[in-house]
Amino acid sequence: MTVTALLFASYADAFGADSVVLDLRPGATIADAVDALRSRPGGSVLPSSPLVAVNLVYADARDTLEHGDEVAIIPPVAGG
């Protein structure tokens, strides 16, 4: 199955793109998708447990993905 990882700010800079299509096995979890991203060039910037949303809803690393899902990897935000 395929899912699209959406990348923002420093993550998009590290990967050189604002999205990456991932080919995952059926029944893959968010943790599997994050691991697949980490294996790509630039993936070392991802923290061990990044904030993630699937189809615009915050999600847990153990949640199962479906074909066509959009997985947003949300970078930390600082400001004042």
Side-chain angles (χ1 to χ4, degrees):
M1 74 173 175
T2 59
V3 300
T4 301
L6 304 176
L7 305 164
F8 305 94
S10 61
Y11 296 161
D13 291 343
F15 283 90
D18 58 4
S19 67
V20 175
V21 175
L22 300 172
D23 291 315
L24 303 171
R25 64 173 172 73
T29 64
I30 292 170
D32 295 327
V34 171
D35 287 344
L37 278 172
R38 271 200 197 95
S39 71
R40 293 176 175 241
S44 63
V45 301
L46 295 177
S48 59
S49 298
L51 185 59
V52 176
V54 176
N55 302 326
L56 304 176
V57 177
Y58 287 113
D60 184 88
R62 298 168 296 204
D63 292 344
T64 303
L65 296 168
E66 299 290 332
H67 177 75
D69 280 348
E70 286 187 332
V71 181
I73 311 297
I74 303 166
V77 178

